[in-house]
Amino acid sequence: MLDTAFLITAFVTMFVVIDPIGLAPLFVALTQGMTARARRAIALRACGIAMLLLILFALFGEAVLGFIGISMPAFRVAGGILLFLTALDMLFERRTKRRADQSDANETEDDPSVFPLAIPLIAGPGSIASVILLTGQVPGAEGLALVLAITALVLGVCLLLFIASGLIERALGRTGITVVTRLLGMLLAALSVQFVLDGLRDFGFVSG
């Protein structure tokens, strides 16, 4: 039976890294002027493609790492550092600016579902690293199934926020979205440090 703490950690990690709340206003920008039906179709495609990519990395990511000679503790430390950098971006609003730049660069595209929504905004380096790290923490079919279920749940939340993004943007306002993003950034920073400590503990550098 898996520890409840792992389930909570997995959900918070995936939610913070994917950041559905922060993506909602960017979805509005990328689909500006489109009908509600077109927005729903783009939201479904983006979340579906991102889920397929994350499933592939959850299933085969560790095997690929082993093939090229990278241990899970080493990847855990590297992934923790990557997530910490993502947290710094959130805390200092650099990620929001970069995502906005990506959306501006592709504003002439008719369908932004694959790029930049699915890749790299949803299934980006942070979320890919997270699913590999989480599945590596609890090896076996049960751990894999639960990580994928949690990922699907987070993407379901992302889909709902995409569909209702216009209402949420008006309700929270720019200040509200900034506050939520900063809080999520603090959580991610703490979780990323824990990933690094777990990796160092596996190497024997940190005592349990």
Side-chain angles (χ1 to χ4, degrees), residues 6 13 31 33 39 42 61 66 84 95 106 121-122 145 149 151 189 192:
F6 170 77
T13 300
T31 58
R39 280 186 167 184
I42 289 172
F84 186 77
R95 186 167 72 159
N106 294 276
L121 296 183
I122 302 175
T151 303
S192 65

Side-chain angles (χ1 to χ4, degrees), residues 174-197:
R174 191 177 187 86
T175 302
I177 291 173
T178 300
V179 170
V180 171
T181 300
R182 296 287 179 87
L183 290 174
L184 293 176
M186 286 295 295
L187 285 174
L188 182 58
L191 287 169
S192 65
V193 171
Q194 187 61 55
F195 276 134
V196 172
L197 290 176

